[in-house]
Each structure stands twice: as C-alpha cells, then as structure tokens.
Amino acid sequence: MRTYQKIIVSALALSAAVALVACGKSSTNKSSETSKTTDVTTITVATDADTKPFTYSENNQATGYDVEVARAVFKELPEYKLKVEITDFDSVVAGVDSGRYQLAANDIGWNKDRAEKYYFSAPLSKSNNAVAVKSDLKVKTLSDLAGKSTEVLPSANFTTILSKYNAANPDKHVKLNYVDGSYPTASRLADVDSGKIDFLLYDAISLKTIIKDKGLDTLKVNNIESESTDPHDGFEYFLYTKDEKGKELQTKVDKVLKKLQSNGTLKELSEKYFGGDFVPSADAYK
C-alpha cells in the first residue's frame, strides 16, 4: 500500500514539474513575441499627395515616386514599420519640426535655413527648375519674369528662390501672391492658364506631368538657367527631425538608398513615375 502511494506521489510530482517547465517555456515564448513586437518602431512619413508625380493620391492612397521610394527603403529595414499620412504642404515640414512626423517625402529641396533645422537624406532624384507660362511668353532666366506675378506657398523652396531673387533685384521684382498650403499645384497652373497669374516656378518633371494630366494645352514649360553654384541645385530629398533618432534614421536610409541606386530599383521607379531616368549618379550616394 505504501509503495502504491509512493508511486502516486512521484507521478504527481513529475506532472507538476512538467507543468512548471511548460509554463516557463510559454512565458519565455510570450516574452520573446512581445520583445519582437516592441522592437518594431513606427515611422510616420508626411506627404501632401499633391506634387504629382513625386507624390499624389490614387484610390485614396498616397503614391508617387517619393512615396514608393520610401516604401522600397523600409522594406529593407524590418526594425521599422512605415505609415504614410497625407496632410497639406505647410503641415508636412511643420509636422517634422514638431515631431509629429519622423520623415517628409514631398519633392523637398535643400536650402541653408532648412539644413540648420533638419537632416536631409541622400538625393532621390534630380530635375530642373522651370516655369510654366503661356506659350507666347519667352522666359530663360528669373530676370525675364520681372513685373510678372505668381502664386507661392509660404514654406516652399521655390518661394525662397523667388524671395532671394527679389532681395537681390529690387528694381526687377516678381509679384508674389501667397496662397494656403492646401491650394493644389494643379489649381495654380489653372490660374496661369486663365491669366490670373503669369507663371508658376516649380520643377520641370511636376509641371510637365500636371499640364499633360489636366490638358492645359496653352501652357509651356521652360527650364530656368541657373546661376547657382549650389551643389544641391535640382536635387530633392527626404527630410528628418534633427535629433538623435533623426540622425540614426538618416544613416540607415542613406545606406539603403545607395543599394537601391546600385541595383536599379531607383531607376525602375523613376522610369515608372517620371517617364525617364532622373536618378543621381552613384557619386551622390557615397
């Protein structure tokens, strides 16, 4: 009888030990799963989805060259989860400034003032600054626009270009009419078409794309001859917060951009969205 009881007690003890081991494994597995989940950081990228073909909305989803480059980059960075948020242009840069967004993808050009506040990625593409005008207006340089009017966004790089031109040429001013950041580029081009304003300064790729899409046949696009020696002229970039996290993101993204330039991914996206190869040379990714 005592032997039988000992067998029962031993069996119960063994079962308890097995259960404890199982619980330990289960707890370890759950802890591991939680760790994997918490190790993934969400990166919110801001875009106005109104700078076609760099960024635009299709079926209520943001797409375009800049957005798809961002998606291609973060496929290579499993420690991050990319979230794309559409907002008006003024809120794109301001949102990065406030920390609401960690990255901006919106055909953003480099300038000194921005460089003091934000980190820039390696360049994504290179285009020409150009103006959309009525077909009977001849324009080669900004001085040809003296006395002419345009519409500008307060925080846009092209606004900075025209403001600096006005400051340097007080007797040949361009008339700048400021509009809200939510006012679409296509609407400003329509204002050129209707004669409300005389021209729109933008990048050549965007102007040609929107004019074609909207059937604004009376408009033509003229490249502006640049006198600038700025090595950033014509390039566009991602923009990050200027802090430790932004620097880490910049370093990782630049490494992937170099890879995507080398393996032809950027060229493929450029041909799809721009209709040609506008990817900077390998030297830009060193």
Side-chain angles (χ1 to χ4, degrees):
M1 189 71 176
R2 288 179 181 176
T3 301
Y4 178 73
Q5 288 176 337
K6 287 181 179 180
I7 292 172
I8 295 297
V9 171
S10 297
L12 290 172
L14 181 60
S15 296
V18 171
L20 285 171
V21 172
C23 286
K25 286 183 177 179
S26 176
S27 176
T28 300
N29 288 340
K30 287 181 180 179
S31 175
S32 177
E33 289 172 3
T34 302
S35 176
K36 287 180 180 178
T37 300
T38 55
D39 282 346
V40 176
T41 302
T42 297
I43 299 298
T44 304
V45 55
T47 184
D48 70 357
D50 181 43
T51 314
K52 192 174 184 179
F54 295 90
T55 168
Y56 59 98
S57 180
E58 188 172 78
N59 299 322
N60 296 317
Q61 183 177 10
T63 187
Y65 179 77
D66 285 19
V67 175
E68 298 308 326
V69 168
R71 289 185 172 126
V73 165
F74 284 92
K75 281 183 181 179
E76 302 286 332
L77 298 172
E79 64 269 35
Y80 297 114
K81 177 183 178 183
L82 187 68
K83 176 184 175 184
V84 181
E85 186 169 320
I86 297 174
T87 185
D88 63 78
F89 180 80
D90 291 339
S91 297
V92 169
V93 177
V96 173
D97 197 24
S98 68
R100 180 178 179 180
Y101 310 120
Q102 290 74 54
L103 187 152
N106 216 99
D107 186 23
I108 294 174
W110 187 97
N111 66 48
K112 186 178 179 180
D113 291 338
R114 281 182 183 165
E116 292 177 355
K117 296 180 66 176
Y118 311 99
Y119 286 130
F120 286 81
S121 70
L124 309 179
S125 69
K126 181 172 175 58
S127 181
N128 298 100
N129 289 343
V131 291
V133 293
K134 287 281 194 177
S135 56
D136 58 346
L137 184 61
K138 296 181 180 179
V139 180
K140 288 186 176 180
T141 66
L142 291 180
S143 61
D144 294 328
L145 298 167
K148 305 297 182 183
S149 64
T150 188
E151 292 168 339
V152 295
L153 304 181
S155 57
N157 211 44
F158 297 104
T159 307
T160 302
I161 291 172
L162 291 171
S163 296
K164 286 183 175 180
Y165 166 80
N166 278 349
N169 299 274
D171 57 336
K172 295 182 179 181
H173 260 216
V174 171
K175 299 175 184 177
L176 306 183
N177 301 317
Y178 286 84
V179 295
D180 187 80
S182 61
Y183 196 57
T185 308
S187 296
R188 286 182 282 150
L189 280 171
D191 289 343
V192 179
D193 184 56
S194 69
K196 182 179 178 180
I197 57 176
D198 298 308
F199 74 94
L200 185 66
L201 176 66
Y202 222 66
D203 73 271
I205 295 173
S206 295
L207 291 176
K208 290 176 181 178
T209 300
I210 298 172
I211 287 171
K212 181 179 178 180
D213 284 353
K214 299 300 180 181
L216 301 173
D217 300 331
T218 66
L219 301 185
K220 66 177 180 179
V221 176
N222 289 345
N223 288 339
I224 291 293
E225 294 178 2
S226 176
E227 299 176 358
S228 173
T229 57
D230 186 345
H232 304 282
D233 197 32
F235 291 109
E236 55 114 3
Y237 308 81
F238 289 145
L239 195 72
Y240 314 97
T241 54
K242 197 161 193 178
D243 53 22
E244 186 176 341
K245 290 182 179 178
K247 185 63 178 177
E248 179 182 358
L249 198 58
Q250 178 198 47
T251 300
K252 290 183 176 181
V253 170
D254 278 3
K255 185 176 180 180
V256 178
L257 284 172
K258 181 178 181 180
K259 176 182 176 180
L260 298 182
Q261 193 277 345
S262 178
N263 67 19
T265 300
L266 294 185
K267 180 180 178 181
E268 182 180 336
L269 290 171
S270 177
E271 289 176 341
K272 177 178 180 180
Y273 290 97
F274 297 154
D277 183 2
F278 292 89
V279 179
S281 67
D283 291 343
Y285 298 89
K286 290 182 178 179

